[in-house]
Amino acid sequence: MAQVLVSMQHITKRFGDFYANQDVNLSVHAGEVLALLGENGAGKSTLMSILSGLRQPTSGTLMIKGQPVSFRSPRDATLAGIGMVHQHFMLVQAFTGLENVLLGDELVHHGVLAEKRAQTRIQALADTYHLNVNLNQRVAEMSVGMQQRLEILKTLYRNADIVILDEPTAVLTPQEITSLMEIIHQLTQEGKAVIFISHKLSEIKAIADQCVVIRHGQVIQTLAVNTTDESTLADLMVGRHVSRSLAKPAPQLGTVSLALRHLSVKDHRGIERVHQLDLDVSEGEIVGVAGIDGNGQSELLSALTGMLPASADQFTLNGQDMRHRSPRQFTQQGQAYIPEDRQTVGLILPFTLAENLMGQGFMAAQNYRFGLLNYPLIRAKARQLIQKFDIRTVSEQVPAASLSGGNQQKLIIARELSRHPNLLIAANPTRGLDVGAIEYVHQSILDQRNQGKAVLLVSFELDEILQLADRIVVMHDGEIIGAANPAKITRQELGLLMAGSPVERPEAQSYVTVSERSPRSK
């Protein structure tokens, strides 16, 4: 029997009268992947923050390699061989990859930073685990996938035997997910333990040995993954039967809501990332944008919301020219936006839930009384949305930073859908959500379309694109290189298009069109 590397016994964490974790027991062995499954706000991240030294338990015992421990800081946990890759990366954006790995654990020789020796050691680790990271690149310029590989590299550099991965695939492409699974397998082959927090049941089935299901801070069941199906896991997690299919009536197309002709966008460094793009989104349809991260989707979204300037022959929203318009003007024109980065773009974390749900409504006359914001009314509206969208919180007056990642996502979705937009732009809208919440969000997006609204869906989740979209366009290298019928194209064929390769099946040509690419000006 393999050594028990982690044993958490009767762990309770209380905040006032609220129990985030209550009498939790779990253990993980060397060479094992333990999946931690639960709804948003179920207490998974709190439990792992105790194991990684970020928080101390109210009561209970934590044992590492058979010895009782008491962590007062993350440094204590690191020295005990525990490393955690957080859902929201703990990286300094202005630092290089090398500087981030070394930060807090610098290799010093005779009082001087031995940077070359450190880089050699880190690069050797990267090569061993096939972690493709540019150590000399600043984090702000890295893709999300590279940032995650950097976080894993940082953990391994600190000699972690127990690796905690919190929602590690939430924003990764299928290719990056495959690479991550190979890394996890390699870690366990070396006798390390991996705790894998995820809402993606297919990934838990593919990689985990045991699964601990947590609901409302308590362990509901611990079970062997190879003897359990995905439906059972979903039902255990949510506490009810979850429908994983979506009834989608045929689209009833109206007028064109968003029209783009020859749209080009440069990033903040002046490099063109979107080139001569044409796109229409009509009322009553969902257009899905598929593509590997880093192919211009972020810049396209920034241009469509007024956060980056764009040049275009035509850029209209509901018939209005939107060139050189501000983000507020896009909102006033009936656009709502669920951003890909919920913490930086979507929320003001120190503000309360009520204030974040109000958003741009602070300019609306109905939210004022006697010239001052009418906070009783604002809080009452917030409570209604919190209940409707099942946002797990103790109060509408707590800061948004206090919510779990999934509940922060629900907060944004509640705000944007409550605006009753004409055009909804949704970027990875179910990132970090559990299956019950995904079911609700998918139905909410479909309801928008069924009510005659236009929806532009940008997602790295191919299953999400294939399930929701009426029409799929594929972005590669800043251009739309093809379009497909989601009812007929396979996941594999869509993946080929995303990589810039043609679909070879002859019968596929009737539902896949590939654009002639114009010469790219540099």
Side-chain angles (χ1 to χ4, degrees):
M1 186 71 171
Q3 180 187 12
V4 177
L5 294 186
V6 176
S7 177
M8 303 185 80
Q9 301 172 3
H10 306 291
I11 296 293
T12 293
K13 181 61 179 178
R14 192 175 70 239
F15 298 94
D17 295 330
F18 173 71
Y19 284 85
N21 299 124
Q22 190 169 7
D23 197 32
V24 171
N25 295 283
L26 65 81
S27 60
V28 57
H29 297 77
E32 181 181 49
V33 178
L34 177 73
L36 204 55
L37 181 65
E39 291 182 283
N40 300 122
K44 307 182 300 296
S45 294
T46 300
L47 189 64
M48 290 301 100
S49 70
I50 291 171
L51 180 55
S52 61
L54 282 167
R55 300 184 188 275
Q56 287 73 48
T58 304
S59 61
T61 303
L62 176 59
M63 301 187 74
I64 304 297
K65 301 174 186 175
Q67 298 298 316
V69 296
S70 179
F71 297 148
R72 289 183 242 176
S73 70
R75 180 70 176 168
D76 290 345
T78 299
L79 293 173
I82 297 169
M84 182 167 179
V85 178
H86 295 266
Q87 183 178 358
H88 300 106
F89 304 141
M90 302 292 190
L91 298 170
V92 181
Q93 296 289 308
F95 282 13
T96 65
L98 177 64
E99 290 166 341
N100 270 278
V101 173
L102 291 177
L103 188 62
D105 200 8
E106 293 83 358
L107 183 62
V108 177
H109 183 65
H110 298 310
V112 178
L113 180 64
E115 188 171 313
K116 288 187 177 179
R117 280 176 53 193
Q119 182 158 3
T120 300
R121 181 184 160 198
I122 294 166
Q123 190 60 58
L125 275 172
D127 294 341
T128 299
Y129 291 95
H130 309 290
L131 292 163
N132 180 24
V133 176
N134 183 349
L135 292 172
N136 298 313
Q137 188 176 22
R138 296 190 184 279
V139 168
E141 299 168 0
M142 292 181 178
S143 70
V144 172
M146 186 179 290
Q147 288 184 42
Q148 187 185 69
R149 292 192 293 273
L150 181 64
E151 281 277 25
I152 295 172
L153 190 57
K154 187 171 73 170
T155 295
L156 296 175
Y157 177 73
R158 286 157 175 76
N159 300 311
D161 295 317
I162 301 139
V163 180
I164 306 165
L165 301 173
D166 190 358
E167 296 289 352
T169 65
V171 291
L172 298 187
T173 63
Q175 293 87 344
E176 289 170 332
I177 291 171
T178 300
S179 175
L180 177 64
M181 295 300 173
E182 291 170 355
I183 292 166
I184 292 172
H185 181 69
Q186 188 172 347
L187 291 172
T188 55
Q189 288 289 101
E190 295 175 0
K192 298 181 188 294
V194 176
I195 299 177
F196 185 80
I197 305 175
S198 179
H199 295 118
K200 298 181 181 180
L201 304 177
S202 60
E203 292 173 5
I204 288 176
K205 284 287 293 177
I207 199 68
D209 301 296
Q210 297 285 321
C211 181
V212 173
V213 182
I214 295 181
R215 196 188 316 146
H216 302 304
Q218 296 179 296
V219 173
I220 300 302
Q221 196 168 336
T222 300
L223 58 173
V225 170
N226 62 359
T227 60
T228 309
D229 58 39
E230 292 183 25
S231 295
T232 300
L233 289 173
D235 294 352
L236 279 171
M237 175 174 62
V238 180
R240 61 175 174 83
H241 177 65
V242 179
S243 173
R244 303 180 70 197
S245 60
L246 196 66
K248 192 168 76 169
Q252 302 295 319
L253 299 186
T255 59
V256 173
S257 178
L258 176 69
L260 307 173
R261 296 292 179 272
H262 298 128
L263 179 88
S264 295
V265 187
K266 294 180 179 179
D267 64 16
H268 294 292
R269 297 168 295 168
I271 299 172
E272 188 174 82
R273 301 302 306 276
V274 178
H275 177 67
Q276 298 288 298
L277 183 143
D278 292 349
L279 180 66
D280 285 340
V281 184
S282 296
E283 296 172 346
E285 74 166 340
I286 299 173
V287 176
V289 179
I292 296 171
D293 183 29
N295 277 274
Q297 301 97 316
S298 294
E299 290 76 18
L300 173 63
L301 290 167
S302 293
L304 293 181
T305 52
M307 292 184 285
L308 269 182
S311 63
D313 292 344
Q314 182 184 4
F315 183 174
T316 57
L317 175 59
N318 301 324
Q320 296 295 314
D321 188 352
M322 300 306 292
R323 288 174 292 189
H324 314 297
R325 299 297 178 95
S326 69
R328 174 174 295 283
Q329 289 172 311
F330 278 88
T331 302
Q332 291 171 337
Q333 192 57 33
Q335 182 189 93
Y337 178 42
I338 302 169
E340 55 184 343
D341 187 338
R342 55 175 166 252
Q343 292 200 338
T344 303
V345 180
L347 297 168
I348 304 175
L349 294 176
F351 282 20
T352 67
L353 274 59
E355 289 165 337
N356 273 283
L357 285 168
M358 176 178 58
Q360 294 187 18
F362 76 90
M363 295 290 289
Q366 63 264 31
N367 286 328
Y368 282 82
R369 187 182 181 197
F370 306 125
L372 299 173
L373 282 170
N374 187 350
Y375 270 99
L377 175 64
I378 292 165
R379 287 193 287 265
K381 290 179 179 178
R383 287 192 293 271
Q384 291 175 357
L385 289 174
I386 287 168
Q387 182 178 15
K388 179 178 179 181
F389 285 83
D390 191 27
I391 301 169
R392 303 293 173 85
T393 179
V394 295
S395 167
E396 77 281 359
Q397 299 187 60
V398 301
S402 68
L403 296 183
S404 68
N407 279 294
Q408 289 177 358
Q409 189 77 352
K410 289 185 190 178
L411 188 67
I412 294 168
I413 291 168
R415 181 187 65 213
E416 297 305 306
L417 294 188
S418 68
R419 292 176 177 168
H420 307 292
N422 299 116
L423 170 68
L424 172 65
I425 299 177
N428 295 306
T430 57
R431 175 191 173 192
L433 297 188
D434 60 65
V435 290
I438 289 171
E439 176 188 39
Y440 184 89
V441 171
H442 280 179
Q443 189 60 54
S444 297
I445 290 173
L446 188 60
D447 288 345
Q448 293 288 305
R449 170 258 213 188
N450 293 343
Q451 293 164 16
K453 313 296 186 182
V455 179
L456 181 66
L457 172 67
V458 180
S459 178
F460 297 143
E461 295 284 347
L462 294 192
D463 291 336
E464 184 166 71
I465 289 273
L466 290 166
Q467 186 176 29
L468 283 176
D470 299 301
R471 179 163 55 93
I472 297 174
V473 296
V474 179
M475 276 193 77
H476 181 76
D477 195 23
E479 302 177 26
I480 289 179
I481 63 164
N485 182 340
K488 296 181 179 179
I489 193 170
T490 68
R491 214 172 176 278
Q492 291 72 24
E493 289 167 343
L494 185 55
L496 282 172
L497 280 175
M498 288 166 59
S501 302
V503 176
E504 297 177 354
R505 195 155 53 94
E507 59 268 32
Q509 303 311 313
S510 63
Y511 57 85
V512 175
T513 58
V514 179
S515 306
E516 289 291 331
R517 304 187 69 171
S518 55
R520 187 72 179 268
S521 57
K522 299 292 184 184

